[in-house]
Amino acid sequence: MTGKPLILVVDDEVQIQRFLRHALDAAGYRVEPAMDAASALRAWSVLKPDLMILDLGLPDMNGKTVVGEIRQRSDLPIIVLSAHDQEQEKIAALDLGANDFIAKPFGIGELLARIRVCLRGTRPAQGAEDVLRRGDLVIDIPAHRVEAAGKPVRLTPREFDLLVLLARHPGRVMTHRQILTRIWGPAHTEDTPYLRVFIGQLRQKLEANPSDPALILTEPGVGYRMVDGV
Amino acid sequence: MTGKPLILVVDDEVQIQRFLRHALDAAGYRVEPAMDAASALRAWSVLKPDLMILDLGLPDMNGKTVVGEIRQRSDLPIIVLSAHDQEQEKIAALDLGANDFIAKPFGIGELLARIRVCLRGTRPAQGAEDVLRRGDLVIDIPAHRVEAAGKPVRLTPREFDLLVLLARHPGRVMTHRQILTRIWGPAHTEDTPYLRVFIGQLRQKLEANPSDPALILTEPGVGYRMVDGV
DNA sequence: CACCGTCTTTACGGAATCCTTATAACGCGG
DNA sequence: CCGCGTTATAAGGATTCCGTAAAGACGGTG
């Protein structure tokens, strides 16, 4: 995706095409027009655009079919336009895989802002970073995998959640209550019997010397803390 | 993120809080309420929710400030509500880092659909390739054909969709929920009975040793993951 | 209408995980 | 040195989760 992002504009109305072409061009995007679904799919598979703006009312094919077709094969961000502001239509388009929906008439400023959101890529539902490193520990969150001292380590789901929680707040003490509410839900906020067990299992699997922990430290009477080493 | 996604609802109007709590609960989410910006930020840092719904009109702080604060430290998906349908306000909120914007009054169905979009986790275009290769596996998407170890394999449509979905995110764990929403639609997001069946059939057809899978790995309690080997 | 392939549902054995409980070790103040 | 509270470790049973097989439901086709 070097240089200007390429946007595929699919709409059969000539005025809208011209309007969008000018506005997007002025905003610094490259624009590829398509007047019907067939040429849109062709242009998509050849040009590999960075984003698609799609009008639902096309002459040759239902716009929703286009969304489905593309979503089967790619994660291309799709912004759907529609003349009608029907809620059912919005829901259908979004659930088929569209990333956003705007009803006509729309403000060009809003459209540009929503384009920026799609291209910005602030998406993952987890948190700040995808891969955390703490000492010789590597936590790959999307892949759900952990390495300690270069060796891959098998962690159970709870262990993994607990480790991620601690690693996300390096150097900071997480109280028993905080840990319990975050991982076991606000119900089990009282007793801490099995929290100890899981901490122990983590140390067993991750620490070089489990009986003298260097990664997960105990803060007596308060909680646990992960070292904030690089 | 064990079980149901947790949604942080920030709004100072009691009726809206109650309305959203019921609707979101019925839709299968856990809800954490917050009436003002300060408690919202506190709840966010402690609970690490999966998504936030934020009203711009708060008593103690401008909602945009909240967006900025959070966006500095996390990629948490944020859906902004506002009483006014001012375009300038939409643009400002989106450019500050909000993922979506809905003006009141809104349809609950549309809100739920936009929540699903945010939680679906679609990343911006990462190249729509026509032919994927994973180990000795070759997936020709336009031709709808698959080869394993040089031999062509017959797959049913669902099996093919599932395989493509996994192969397009190599090394990354796809949760049960993500797989179900993207292949069977957002309706069947709960049950995982037949997902197991299809995974089993895929392994039966693709793996050299189906009882010891090397391509499609299972992440207990979370989902499935395709190896990211070249 | 019968056939076929696919999709969906259900049931069950086996494995892994989670939670509980019991016991030992540690730190601290008196 | 002793008692107390907190923490670490180990082992057991209960529960959940996964994989597999098989049978019914559905839709398209000849």
Side-chain angles (χ1 to χ4, degrees):
Chain A
M1 202 207 294
T2 54
K4 302 178 178 181
L6 175 63
I7 298 184
L8 178 59
V9 177
V10 187
D11 197 315
D12 61 323
E13 298 177 51
V14 181
Q15 317 132 8
I16 301 238
Q17 274 287 358
R18 189 168 320 172
F19 171 59
L20 286 179
R21 166 183 282 273
H22 284 134
L24 295 176
D25 187 67
Y29 301 107
R30 297 187 342 250
V31 176
E32 176 70 22
M35 305 296 284
D36 54 62
S39 53
L41 288 173
R42 202 161 40 235
W44 163 70
S45 74
V46 174
L47 297 175
K48 306 287 168 64
D50 300 293
L51 187 142
M52 176 161 107
I53 297 175
L54 172 70
D55 190 327
L56 279 191
L58 293 177
D60 57 339
M61 199 187 294
N62 189 331
K64 293 180 208 156
T65 315
V66 179
V67 176
E69 279 288 319
I70 291 186
R71 194 46 90 240
Q72 271 193 339
R73 313 186 199 168
S74 146
D75 285 339
L76 174 77
I78 301 176
I79 297 180
V80 165
L81 303 179
S82 171
H84 330 293
D85 197 356
Q86 303 286 344
E87 187 176 19
Q88 282 313 116
E89 201 158 310
K90 290 190 193 184
I91 297 172
L94 293 173
D95 279 342
L96 268 168
N99 294 67
D100 209 334
F101 184 106
I102 308 184
K104 297 181 190 174
F106 53 85
I108 186 63
E110 178 181 354
L111 176 61
L112 290 174
R114 290 187 184 270
I115 288 173
R116 286 193 289 273
V117 171
C118 281
L119 291 177
R120 180 208 305 155
T122 299
R123 281 290 146 172
Q126 293 292 346
E129 303 164 50
D130 285 348
V131 179
L132 304 171
R133 291 165 206 280
R134 302 282 176 268
D136 62 350
L137 192 69
V138 182
I139 310 172
D140 186 332
I141 298 179
H144 247 256
R145 275 199 309 197
V146 175
E147 284 187 9
K151 300 282 183 185
V153 178
R154 259 183 64 85
L155 292 186
T156 71
R158 293 278 211 255
E159 291 168 0
F160 186 80
D161 290 345
L162 179 56
L163 177 64
V164 170
L165 178 62
L166 291 172
R168 279 244 175 81
H169 305 270
R172 188 176 141 190
V173 178
M174 301 292 294
T175 69
H176 300 139
R177 176 178 294 266
Q178 283 176 329
I179 297 175
L180 288 169
T181 53
R182 173 66 178 100
I183 299 209
W184 279 272
H188 312 73
T189 179
E190 286 310 321
D191 276 283
T192 63
Y194 40 68
L195 176 52
R196 279 194 275 280
V197 176
F198 274 85
I199 293 287
Q201 288 181 353
L202 272 183
R203 294 209 257 237
Q204 204 68 32
K205 291 182 177 179
L206 300 178
E207 299 273 1
N209 185 359
S211 55
D212 179 23
L215 280 169
I216 302 172
L217 309 179
T218 300
E219 216 66 35
V222 185
Y224 295 91
R225 172 169 64 88
M226 170 156 285
V227 292
D228 56 353
V230 183
Chain B
M1 204 218 297
T2 54
K4 304 176 178 180
L6 175 63
I7 298 185
L8 178 60
V9 177
V10 188
D11 198 314
D12 60 323
E13 299 177 53
V14 180
Q15 317 133 7
I16 301 240
Q17 275 285 1
R18 188 169 319 173
F19 172 60
L20 286 179
R21 167 182 281 272
H22 283 136
L24 294 176
D25 188 68
Y29 300 105
R30 295 181 356 245
V31 176
E32 175 72 22
M35 305 296 283
D36 55 63
S39 53
L41 288 172
R42 201 161 41 235
W44 163 71
S45 76
V46 173
L47 297 175
K48 297 289 168 180
D50 300 294
L51 186 141
M52 175 161 107
I53 297 176
L54 172 69
D55 190 326
L56 279 191
L58 293 177
D60 58 338
M61 201 186 292
N62 188 330
K64 292 179 206 154
T65 314
V66 180
V67 176
E69 279 289 319
I70 291 186
R71 195 45 93 238
Q72 272 192 341
R73 311 184 206 164
S74 142
D75 283 343
L76 175 78
I78 301 175
I79 297 181
V80 167
L81 303 179
S82 172
H84 330 292
D85 198 354
Q86 301 287 344
E87 187 176 17
Q88 281 314 116
E89 201 157 308
K90 291 191 192 182
I91 297 172
L94 293 173
D95 278 342
L96 267 168
N99 295 68
D100 208 335
F101 184 107
I102 307 185
K104 297 180 189 175
F106 52 86
I108 185 63
E110 177 181 354
L111 177 60
L112 291 174
R114 290 186 184 270
I115 288 174
R116 286 193 288 272
V117 171
C118 282
L119 292 178
R120 186 165 51 201
T122 300
R123 291 163 171 284
Q126 48 190 29
E129 298 179 41
D130 289 342
V131 179
L132 303 171
R133 292 165 204 279
R134 302 281 175 264
D136 62 351
L137 192 69
V138 182
I139 309 171
D140 186 331
I141 299 180
H144 249 248
R145 275 206 319 192
V146 175
E147 285 187 8
K151 301 282 184 186
V153 177
R154 255 184 71 83
L155 292 186
T156 72
R158 297 281 199 203
E159 290 168 1
F160 186 80
D161 292 345
L162 179 56
L163 178 64
V164 170
L165 178 61
L166 291 172
R168 182 166 294 125
H169 304 272
R172 178 176 175 147
V173 175
M174 302 295 292
T175 68
H176 301 138
R177 179 180 298 269
Q178 284 175 331
I179 297 175
L180 289 169
T181 55
R182 291 178 69 158
I183 298 210
W184 279 273
H188 313 73
T189 179
E190 281 310 319
D191 285 280
T192 60
Y194 41 64
L195 178 51
R196 282 198 286 276
V197 177
F198 275 83
I199 292 287
Q201 288 181 353
L202 271 183
R203 293 209 257 236
Q204 205 68 32
K205 293 182 177 178
L206 300 178
E207 299 273 2
N209 184 0
S211 56
D212 179 24
L215 279 170
I216 302 173
L217 309 179
T218 151
E219 214 67 35
V222 184
Y224 294 93
R225 170 167 64 86
M226 171 155 285
V227 291
D228 55 354
V230 182

